[in-house]
Every structure is written in structure tokens, then in C-alpha cells.
Amino acid sequence: MLAVAEHSAAYSESALAVLWGRAHTLVDALVTESGRRLRVIYPGRPSSGAGPDFRDAVLVDSNGASVTGDIELHTTAPGWYSHGHDTDSNYNGVVLHVVFSPKGHTDTAQQSLMKTPIVSLEPVAKNLEAANPTRTPPLITLETLLVNGDIGSALDAAGDTRFLARSQGYSLEMSESSPDETLYRGIMEALGYATNRKPFRALASRVPYESLSRLRDEPPSTRLLAVKASLIGASGLLDLADEAEDRVQMRRLLKRLPRVKPLDKAEWRLFRVRPSNHPVRRIIGAALMLDGCIERGLLSASIEDLTLGGQKALTARYSHPPYVGRSRALDIVVNVSLPLLHAYAGHIDDQALADTALDAYAGVPKMQDNEITREMRRLCNIDSDVKLTARRQQGLIHLYKTAVGKSHI
């Protein structure tokens, strides 16, 4: 149990996070500094990356209206401004600013010009310290996952629902863009993770697959460098490339390649990004992927890999250590390549290809856990006896995303 603080200075932000993680145990509603009463249904999942401290929290106001969004923590309210959140669009989804001491503030300003209400945990700190930290929030219960008593079957079904929804999304996208272009955009977006997903997609629009495919006529000795130059040059991050010699050569190549206005470096989130996830490294990985199939085409190469070697061959296609490791490659296979190939099979009425994509998806082994899968295992008390596969992990994600919005019912 935490020691009761005599003053706000005695509380660290990590201690405040422990208190907020128990906020759903409060019998009475929290009262914001402006007088609004809010009951915490689900405090959200702790976020380890850049951005708000808790994601997808669910609150209910005195009128019974549900509020879903992010939570930001500071020991004192002015911390919001000293950390620059008022000018950072990543904090526009914050629905509650949780502090120990409000310091006279009733709300905080977002970059969007909206106001985020402030709530102090000081009045309820003793109750939260005494709460049972192992109590599971009533977001979702194990019974809601059971299908004839078999949680594995339930997760498989939820995973298939998520896969088919992605397939349908790619099918709609392919009605407006070529399959190669759609696959390329999906891969680029996946390389950005949540942190840089938007600028990676913008980069794919600035340098479309069609323009890169013209580099197939480039001499093999300089083709890879030309692909790298096109992408890194348009990203606005050329000065961050590791090798000075490469930077010089890429600048020379860019003079004879189609001119593209680069993205503003400010569009990229570089602060607190692990070196292995740095956008330049991921862009180099994308260049290696594209160079490896530029003659056959991205879609054709992926279909060939799937039909001849299954998901293992696809994973090898997208894996280029140290720029793109196996874990990220597998994520691309599960979330982009296989559902897109399933969608493409529907476009060309190829049932065999559709079945192959689904069978490959069902056979993908367990991937690395992420914040959502770890949180769902905790919320649903899923023990280690339940064997997880990538399909079942996708099922956990699907259930989390569909349950959060209904958790107040």
C-alpha cells in the first residue's frame, strides 16, 4: 500500500499512475475542478510510448453519457504546459487531465483549442490506496468470450472477424487504386507504427508505387540507392541518414530523379522513438523490400511467396534486419499482406487464393504481445493454458476495440 502523502510534492507521477489505475474501484464519482461528476468505468490501458499516459479510458457523466478517450497525468496541472501538450496534436484526444494538485486550474488547453477538464485525486487518495489493486475492471468478462465453453474458439472467431473487416477495407481501397499501390501504402503505414503512421502514409502519397516502379530500368548497381534516395529525400529526413557517403550519393541521384517536395521534418515524431524504430531506418527497410520485387511487382511477388511458401515466405520477403526485423515483418503479413491478398482474390474471383490467404492467417504463430493484447489477457483473466496464435491475438484486439465503446452498458 502506498504511504499517504502529506503534500503534492510527496507524490511522483508513477505513484499517481498507480492511483489512477484503481480509479474504477471508487464507489462515488470523481468531481472535476469545474464541478462535473464523472464515474470511472475503465481507467484505460497504460501506454508505454510517446503520448498520453492511459489510452481508451471509459467514463460516465451524471447524465449517463459515456466518454471514451485518453488520460494524461501530472503531479500538478501546470505540467501540461511545461511539457508542451498544449501545442501537441497527439494530446487532442485527452478527455481528462488527472493531477494531484490543480494549482488553481479548472481545465487545460489542447492544440485543437478544446478544453480538457482537470480532476484532482487528492480528495480520494486514501480510498484509492486502500483499494484492491487486483480487482478486474468491469470492462469485459470471461463469459462474454466463451463459445460453447471454448475461449480458443471465441478468440479464433473474433480474429477472423477482424481479418475479414480488414479485407473488406482493402477491397474498397482497391476500387480506387491499383492493388500494388494499395499494398505499398499499407506496408508503409505499418512501418510507421502508431507514432509515425500518418507521415509514412503521406510519404507513400508523395512517392507513389507507380513512380518507384519506373526505377526498374535503373542499373542494378544504383537501383537500391535510387529507391532510398526517392523515399528518404521526400521524407525530409535526408540529413539524418547514418552514412555520410550515402547522403552525398543520394543527393546526386535526386538531381536526376523526379522532383518531389519533401515533408516537413516537424511532421515526424522523433522524440522518445527507439533507435530501432527511427523513421529513416524503417524507410531503408521499405526500400530493400521494394528493390527486391521491383521487376516482378509488389503484388505479384507477394502472391508467389504465399502460394509457394506460405506466410513464412511472405515474412522473409518483408524482413530486412536490422531495418525491419521478423516481428515487424510478421505484423505486416498479418495486418496488411494476407487480408489484402484475400481482398484481391475476391476482385479476380480466385477462391483458391482466398482460401490460401485465410489458411496462412490461421497458421501464423504467436506474435509479440502489445499493450492491447497484454491488457486483454489481464482484463479477461486469460491464463497461460490458453494457447495464443496471431489469429487469437487479433481476436483480443477486436474484442478490446468493440468492448470499450459498450463497456458502460
Side-chain angles (χ1 to χ4, degrees):
M1 183 181 297
L2 297 174
V4 178
E6 297 292 332
H7 187 269
S8 62
Y11 271 98
S12 65
E13 196 167 303
S14 59
L16 195 62
V18 172
L19 294 178
W20 175 253
R22 301 174 182 179
H24 62 283
T25 64
L26 292 171
V27 176
D28 296 324
L30 292 171
V31 181
T32 69
E33 292 303 300
S34 60
R36 185 182 182 189
R37 299 179 64 83
L38 294 170
R39 186 162 59 90
V40 181
I41 302 300
Y42 173 55
R45 56 182 170 86
S47 176
S48 58
D53 295 301
F54 285 79
R55 301 281 190 174
D56 304 326
V58 181
L59 315 171
V60 175
D61 65 17
S62 57
N63 296 319
S66 178
V67 179
T68 302
D70 301 331
I71 306 294
E72 179 63 9
L73 309 177
H74 293 104
T75 55
T76 63
W80 177 277
Y81 299 99
S82 63
H83 291 177
H85 301 336
D86 57 318
T87 59
D88 189 340
S89 61
N90 290 287
Y91 291 83
N92 286 344
V94 173
V95 295
L96 192 63
H97 184 196
V98 178
V99 302
F100 188 72
S101 174
K103 295 285 188 181
H105 293 252
T106 57
D107 54 39
T108 42
Q110 295 181 357
Q111 180 266 349
S112 65
L113 303 182
M114 298 291 288
K115 300 290 186 180
T116 302
I118 293 173
V119 69
S120 170
L121 294 190
E122 183 178 19
V124 295
K126 290 183 180 180
N127 291 337
L128 290 173
E129 287 170 347
N132 179 5
T134 62
R135 177 189 167 194
T136 300
L139 172 67
I140 189 167
T141 61
L142 189 61
E143 288 73 21
T144 63
L145 297 180
L146 294 177
V147 174
N148 299 323
D150 181 5
I151 190 171
S153 296
L155 294 179
D156 285 339
D160 288 347
T161 299
R162 180 171 169 83
F163 179 91
L164 294 173
R166 283 190 174 276
S167 174
Q168 184 177 20
Y170 283 126
S171 181
L172 291 172
E173 198 169 340
M174 281 189 286
S175 65
E176 299 180 355
S177 302
S178 72
D180 276 307
E181 201 73 61
T182 304
L183 179 55
Y184 164 66
R185 282 200 299 260
I187 291 172
M188 292 293 282
E189 196 170 348
L191 288 174
Y193 289 76
T195 306
N196 280 305
R197 191 177 298 274
K198 184 176 178 180
F200 259 99
R201 190 161 182 101
L203 176 58
S205 296
R206 299 248 176 142
V207 187
Y209 179 80
E210 183 181 5
S211 68
L212 291 171
S213 66
R214 298 191 190 111
L215 296 174
R216 66 171 63 92
D217 298 327
E218 187 77 17
S221 59
T222 58
R223 188 174 64 195
L224 174 59
L225 194 62
V227 176
K228 287 167 58 177
S230 297
L231 291 172
I232 298 178
S235 73
L237 302 175
L238 183 57
D239 60 325
L240 299 182
D242 289 337
E243 300 296 330
E245 182 179 349
D246 272 4
R247 289 200 300 269
V248 171
Q249 290 181 315
M250 282 191 281
R251 285 194 174 97
R252 288 173 181 166
L253 278 168
L254 284 171
K255 291 179 180 179
R256 62 179 181 83
L257 292 173
R259 186 172 178 81
V260 176
K261 182 181 179 181
L263 294 172
D264 189 327
K265 189 184 292 185
E267 295 186 46
W268 297 93
R269 192 171 189 90
L270 305 176
F271 178 64
R272 290 175 62 183
V273 173
R274 289 184 298 174
S276 59
N277 294 338
H278 196 281
V280 172
R281 293 177 66 86
R282 296 303 190 188
I283 292 170
I284 293 174
L288 288 164
M289 290 182 207
L290 294 164
D291 181 62
C293 57
I294 203 166
E295 293 176 354
R296 284 177 293 166
L298 187 57
L299 180 75
S300 295
S302 297
I303 291 174
E304 183 178 327
D305 288 336
L306 174 63
T307 53
L308 297 181
Q311 63 86 9
K312 290 183 178 179
L314 273 176
T315 303
R317 164 76 57 192
Y318 303 133
S319 180
H320 291 276
Y323 305 105
V324 179
R326 180 181 179 278
S327 175
R328 178 52 32 177
L330 201 58
D331 185 82
I332 292 171
V333 168
V334 169
N335 288 291
V336 181
S337 181
L338 288 177
L340 185 142
L341 292 177
H342 182 270
Y344 177 70
H347 275 232
I348 62 172
D349 197 22
D350 187 339
Q351 188 60 47
L353 178 60
D355 291 342
T356 300
L358 268 173
D359 290 344
Y361 171 66
V364 178
K366 181 179 180 293
M367 297 156 56
Q368 280 190 347
D369 272 320
N370 56 36
E371 290 177 355
I372 292 179
T373 57
R374 284 192 294 268
E375 180 72 347
M376 280 297 287
R377 292 188 72 156
R378 182 185 72 83
L379 291 175
C380 302
N381 298 316
I382 299 175
D383 58 35
S384 57
D385 293 337
V386 177
K387 180 183 178 182
L388 287 187
T389 61
R391 180 189 190 187
R392 291 179 177 182
Q393 289 173 302
Q394 292 289 296
L396 288 173
I397 295 171
H398 172 74
L399 290 167
Y400 178 88
K401 290 184 177 295
T402 54
V404 166
K406 300 176 181 178
S407 58
H408 63 287
I409 299 176

